[in-house]
Every structure is written in structure tokens, then in C-alpha cells.
Amino acid sequence: MKSSRTRGAKFSSKAPTGITGFDEICGGGLPRGSTTLLVGGPGSGKTIFALQFATHGAQYCKEPAIFVAFEENSKRIVANAESFGWKIAELGPGKLFFLDAQPMRDLIHSGTFDLGGMLAALEAQIKKMGARRIVFDALDIVLALLPDAAAKRREVYRLHDWLLERELTGLITSKASEEENNSIAQESFGFMQFMVDCAVLLNHTVVQGVSQRNLRVQKYRGTSFDENQSPFVIGSRGMEVAVARTSSRVHVSVTNERVSSGVERLDTMLGGGYYRGASVLITGFPGTAKTTLSGAFAAAACKRGERTMFVSCDSDGAEVVRNLASVGIGLNRYVKNGCLRMVSGRTIIGSAETFLVRVKTLAMEHRARCIVIDPVSTLSSSGNELTAYGVAERLIDWSKALGTTLVCTSLLDEVSSQPASSSQLQISKMADTWIHLNYLVQAGERNRGMSIIKSRGTAHSNQVRELILSDVGVTVTDAYTAGGEVLMGTLRWEKESAERGAKDVAEVAGRVKRVRLDAEEAELEVRLKALQVELEAKQVEKALLVSTTESREGVLSQGRSRMRELRGADTAIPRQK
Amino acid sequence: MTRCAPYRFRLYVAGDAQNSAQALANLKVICREHLRDRHTIEVVDVFREPERALADGIFMTPTLVRLSPHPVRRIVGTLSQSQPVLHALGLGSPSV
């Protein structure tokens, strides 16, 4: 007990498994120095789980491990694990030791026996390599050899006590019977589930032909854990358990940065574009230009130099590139320079969960900042109805956590009478921006209408606009409303031409009036000039008049003086003024 | 029953565990009855020689290995059901 306490102080109480998601579910890993029971049906991934646990310990936790294989030959187990990129061969038997304990086929048993031999052998090996983890894979195989339930029980207790005494982190895997009735396996493992500190159930079901794997932590003494069933997949790097958003992942950095939708006028309608890291949903019937709109987004992202991934589930990636080129969205050069990665969603087969894992892996590989999934409604294809919602939720959580801008398109069922009410996956609830594309049939025409149903945190236009695809790109036109209807197509054109005509008439009238006014102005100016000239003439005349009068008077007075002088008259002549 | 081929047995036991002791006792009885002076018994205690158990692939105790005559046969358990054991060892009286 003393040693266990010091160990507890030295290490954490959890032994990490290295399985993505699983360690999060149970708060760090399996109980250290204690036993875990892993139960699952055939092909449910027990051996992979166990091997990943052992390998991870040996490779990253300085905990050498022993793997006791009761069912499968260790060579085959290692060979199978090579595909996950776990370098088991490099670890060597000093760190990860395999013990092949498959009962020989011709083994004859007579009377009772026990596992003492194996435990003694293991004891020696543990001492030799300082093992801290031990896996008993498919213990049910050896228990099946025991004659009765009492003997099975005794051996399980022996094993459990042995593990506890040595403070080994033990993992025992066992098959669960397909039917949940009282079979032999159920009997011997029923009590085992009570005995161990941690029990994990693996479940592999097929729903409408699609394989669905689930994992559930049934019990975990002394710790809180996620009690729900979590889907998992066996991916390219081992097991991956899907975890729902946990509190540790909530604080996502939120930014005010906008990214272009690829359509200039749509950006304006959204008040600048989508938010960086937002999840955008584009819904619509087939052929409403969902792919085109998402392609425009991808092209804009690549133009900014952002690495982008386009997952196309309906058609092949190359086809999408070709088709989008016809509407002026050139993705080819970005594919060539490696900025854009086209992924054909059809190559991702299996459950929605597999799809998500694959998308995540590819996006990580590509270091994508923008992702387009066209259409995301593929997730809910038959067999995935139950899981698709969870997968979509995790897809959005995941992209948010990374700050990746996600554009998803979603096909609406043509039959559905209320297209705008909900999208199949209920992504519409989670998406930040929801753009709905629709056909509007007016005057014998089918035109594409676009409306922004919601856009969190951004002011956005409330109007239904017409989306026009041409060989130079995607544009959104001005909306004309008449009698409460948005006019589209020819009706819009008619309205536009009518307005253009009216404008022309008004312009001509204005021009005529302007000319007339100009003329009047000119006339007045001329008159003004003439009057001014006349005024000047009068002024000159007046000045002349004054000066002549003065000079005449001067001449007169001078004349009088001169006359007086000439006459020699007396001086008593009154003085002139 | 006139063949003189020697029988070599190796019995892996787990210390003084009850079923191991029982197996040894049962083996001795079989040998006394069927193979008088034509056999050798080697007893390996896996607690004392765990490496040997590991190397020989012995996981359950007690395990009896018939090393000769060939082929090698393994019988797990206390050897208490004499008929199947005798049959497995090729000593069954009904076969003669």
C-alpha cells in the first residue's frame, strides 16, 4: 500500500491509451495499477484497442508492456498493426513483449488446471523488462477450456489478484456474445464486470448495411467519465473515438475577421462576408447553384492564398473543377499549385463517422484553412440517420476549434413541402450563416433566388435576390419588387428596360429644359450688357455737359472784364460771384 | 504391448498446487500400470523455472508433455479421467 501511494504521487492515476478521444472521455486513460475489462463482439476492435494501449505505453509513457495473445498469433497482430504506422518492430521485445498463448489445437485436457504456469512465466518476463502494462487479449479463449463456471471464476479472480498485487495496469479483453442472453461468456464476464475498476464495451452494429462502431465506458471507479455511447472508427492511425464538445474545447478564439464569399455583392449583403471560422450552410434544391456558390468561396480563398479543401460527394473532384470553369470559377490553377485539394467524397465509404474522420485527416494533412463539403447531406444517407446529426455537430465543433471556415451545402428533399423550415441534419441550427437558394417560377421561367435566412453577428440583407450564373462568374442582381413579388429573369429584365426607357425620357426632357434656360440666361446677359453700355454713354454725356457749362461761364466773365477794360469804365461795378 | 520404446514425459507443475500434485500422482499411477520401467518423468516447477515455461510455451498448469515417442503430445489438467488420457498417450487398453 505504501508503494502504491508513492507511485500515485509520482505518476498520475491514469494510464493514457493514446486513443484519440478515448482519453478525453475517461479523463486521461485507463486506471493505473488496476484492471480494465474490454468487452466486445467479433470484429469490434478489441485487439486494436488493446494493442494501441500497449504500444502507446511502451513508446511514449516509458511503461514497457506485455501483450498476451490468446487468440491471434502475435506475428499477425503486429502485421495488422503495421498499417496504422505504429512502429512495433522498432520497440523490440524489451519494451513491448508478445506472448503467444494460443491453446494448441490438439491440446487434450483432462481434469482441472489453472493459469499458474502462465502467470509464473509472465512474472519472470515482467521482472526482466520492468513491464508496467499488461494486456490479456481474448481471455475468453482460455476460459472456455475450463470445465465449469466455478473454475472460470476462480481463474479470473486469480488473474485479477495477481495483477493488483503487482500494481500492473491490466487490460483484459473478452468477446461478448451477440445475443445479450445468458451465454457462457456472459456468465464468466458478468461478475468480472463487477470485479474490475473499469469496464469498456465495444459495439459493432450494421444499420442498413452501414457499419457503425460504438464505444461506451460502462464503469470507471473513482472518476467521472462520459457515460454516453461514443461512435468510433478504426482509421489510418488506429482507433479514433468521437467526442462531443467538452468544456475544454469550448473556448474557441473568436475573430471579427471576414472572409469573402467569392461573390462581391453577397459579401455586401452579409456586411463584409462570412466570419473567419464560421460555419456556413447553403441549402437548396438540386441545381440551385449550391456547388457554384461554394466553388466561388473556394476560389476566393485560394486567391487569398489560403489552403482549401473541397470535398465533393456528388461528383468527382475533376468534374467539379470542369463544371465550375464554365461559370468563370477557375479552380484548376489552384489545384495545380497545390493550394486547393479536391476530394471525391465517394471514395470515402462507410459510416458518417468514417467520413468525418477521413475529412479531418485529409484537412490536417492539407493544413486547410477553408473547407467546403458539398453536400454535407450525404452524411445522413441511409444507415446513418441516427448518427449523422452528431457527426455534423462534431464537424462544426471541430472546424470551429481550429478556426477553419466551413462551407457546407445541403440538399433539400424535393418532396419536402417546407424547404426553409429545416435541413435534414439540423445543421441549420448550428450554422452561423444560412443561405437558402430556391427556384422562383414566374411567367413561365425558373430563376434562382437567393436569400440569407440567418447570419449570426452580422447585419444582413433581408431581401430575396436573384443569383445569376454567367461565363464570367456569379453575380447577385438588384432586386425588383412588384406587387410584393421579387422580379426575376425576363420580368426583371423588362422592369429594368422599362426603367431604362423612363430614365432616357426624363434625361432628354431635362436636357431640353437646360438648353432653354441657357438661352434665357444668355438673353438676359446680353440685355444687361446693352443697358450697361447705355448707362456709360449717359454718364459720359452728363460729364461733358457739366464741363461745357463751366467753361462757357468762365469765358463770359472774362469777356465782361475785358470789355470793361476796353471801355475804361469806373470801378464801381458789382463783383461777379 | 511388447514394444520397448521408452516413454519420456515432462510434467510442468505450479509449485505445490493441489492440481499439480494430483497430476503427478495420476501420472505415476498410469506409468506404473502401463509403462513399468519404460518411462522417465521430468518435473518442471514453473515457479522455479519460469523462463523455461515461457520458452516452452506452457501457460496452464499442470501440463504433461509426452516428448517421445513422437509426435509430441500435450495434456493439460490433473489427468484424472484415465480413459481419454490413456487414449491420448497411446496406451489405451481397448486399442490392443
Side-chain angles (χ1 to χ4, degrees), chain A residues 253-296:
Chain A
S253 62
V254 171
T255 167
N256 279 325
E257 191 190 337
R258 301 293 188 109
V259 288
S260 170
S261 65
V263 179
E264 205 182 315
R265 296 194 59 172
L266 177 58
D267 288 347
T268 317
M269 281 169 79
L270 287 164
Y274 307 134
Y275 274 121
R276 158 100 49 218
S279 310
V280 181
L281 177 69
I282 302 171
T283 57
F285 293 132
T288 43
K290 297 184 298 297
T291 305
T292 310
L293 209 54
S294 50

Side-chain angles (χ1 to χ4, degrees), chain A residues 155-385:
Chain A
E155 288 318 299
V156 169
Y157 273 119
R158 186 199 300 277
L159 182 62
H160 186 236
D161 290 348
W162 183 84
L163 285 167
L164 282 182
E165 255 171 56
R166 279 148 195 84
E167 290 176 354
L168 290 165
T169 310
L171 180 64
I172 298 172
T173 77
S174 168
K175 285 187 205 64
S177 56
E178 282 289 83
E179 312 87 44
E180 291 281 317
N181 55 22
N182 280 354
S183 65
I184 303 161
Q186 213 65 24
E187 256 173 59
S188 47
F189 284 98
F191 75 91
M192 213 168 158
Q193 288 173 358
F194 290 102
M195 182 183 76
V196 295
D197 285 331
C198 175
V200 180
L201 306 181
L202 301 182
N203 185 11
H204 187 191
T205 52
V206 174
V207 181
Q208 292 183 8
V210 177
S211 133
Q212 306 280 2
R213 293 173 191 274
N214 286 295
L215 172 149
R216 186 168 71 87
V217 178
Q218 189 187 39
K219 69 182 266 191
Y220 199 137
R221 282 186 188 141
T223 191
S224 66
F225 57 92
D226 188 344
E227 296 177 34
N228 298 330
Q229 209 171 44
S230 310
F232 75 90
V233 291
I234 296 170
S236 56
R237 284 173 298 166
M239 254 178 90
E240 257 184 70
V241 181
V243 276
R245 182 190 276 240
T246 53
S247 51
S248 64
R249 295 176 64 187
V250 169
H251 40 77
V252 172
S253 62
V254 171
T255 167
N256 279 325
E257 191 190 337
R258 301 293 188 109
V259 288
S260 170
S261 65
V263 179
E264 205 182 315
R265 296 194 59 172
L266 177 58
D267 288 347
T268 317
M269 281 169 79
L270 287 164
Y274 307 134
Y275 274 121
R276 158 100 49 218
S279 310
V280 181
L281 177 69
I282 302 171
T283 57
F285 293 132
T288 43
K290 297 184 298 297
T291 305
T292 310
L293 209 54
S294 50
F297 166 75
C302 289
K303 204 173 167 191
R304 292 192 301 271
E306 289 172 19
R307 300 182 70 84
T308 303
M309 190 168 89
F310 194 110
V311 184
S312 153
C313 303
D314 277 350
S315 46
D316 188 70
E319 281 174 8
V320 173
V321 171
R322 182 201 65 197
N323 296 347
L324 288 180
S326 72
V327 285
I329 300 169
L331 295 176
N332 209 11
R333 61 198 140 135
Y334 301 122
V335 173
K336 275 189 186 140
N337 73 15
C339 192
L340 178 68
R341 177 159 189 181
M342 299 298 295
V343 177
S344 295
R346 282 194 176 169
T347 59
I348 306 170
I349 46 165
S351 64
E353 209 57 58
T354 320
F355 180 87
L356 176 62
V357 167
R358 191 97 181 94
V359 165
K360 275 157 87 170
T361 312
L362 289 171
M364 293 290 199
E365 270 173 27
H366 189 59
R367 303 193 308 281
R369 290 203 72 194
C370 298
I371 299 177
V372 174
I373 299 179
D374 175 48
V376 77
S377 39
T378 313
L379 285 178
S380 60
S381 58
S382 59
N384 285 318
E385 288 90 348

Side-chain angles (χ1 to χ4, degrees), chain A residues 94 97 122-131, chain B residues 51 54:
Chain A
F97 180 81
L122 286 173
E123 182 89 64
Q125 185 61 31
I126 287 162
K127 286 213 176 95
K128 199 167 127 194
M129 63 188 284
Chain B
E51 290 88 354
L54 195 65

Side-chain angles (χ1 to χ4, degrees), chain A residues 99-165:
Chain A
L99 180 65
D100 279 306
Q102 299 93 37
M104 289 172 193
R105 224 167 293 138
D106 55 353
L107 192 75
I108 300 143
H109 36 96
S110 159
T112 62
F113 61 92
D114 59 50
L115 297 175
M118 181 184 65
L119 297 184
L122 286 173
E123 182 89 64
Q125 185 61 31
I126 287 162
K127 286 213 176 95
K128 199 167 127 194
M129 63 188 284
R132 298 301 323 143
R133 294 184 178 194
I134 189 157
V135 171
F136 292 94
D137 190 31
L139 189 66
D140 55 295
I141 296 276
V142 73
L143 289 184
L145 299 174
L146 291 160
D148 52 55
K152 291 181 212 285
R153 188 175 286 231
R154 195 186 60 228
E155 288 318 299
V156 169
Y157 273 119
R158 186 199 300 277
L159 182 62
H160 186 236
D161 290 348
W162 183 84
L163 285 167
L164 282 182
E165 255 171 56

Side-chain angles (χ1 to χ4, degrees), chain A residues 515-529:
Chain A
V515 167
R516 207 177 61 225
L517 285 172
D518 278 351
E520 277 174 16
E521 189 187 350
E523 196 186 309
L524 282 172
E525 264 173 15
V526 166
R527 274 168 61 189
L528 188 67
K529 193 91 182 165

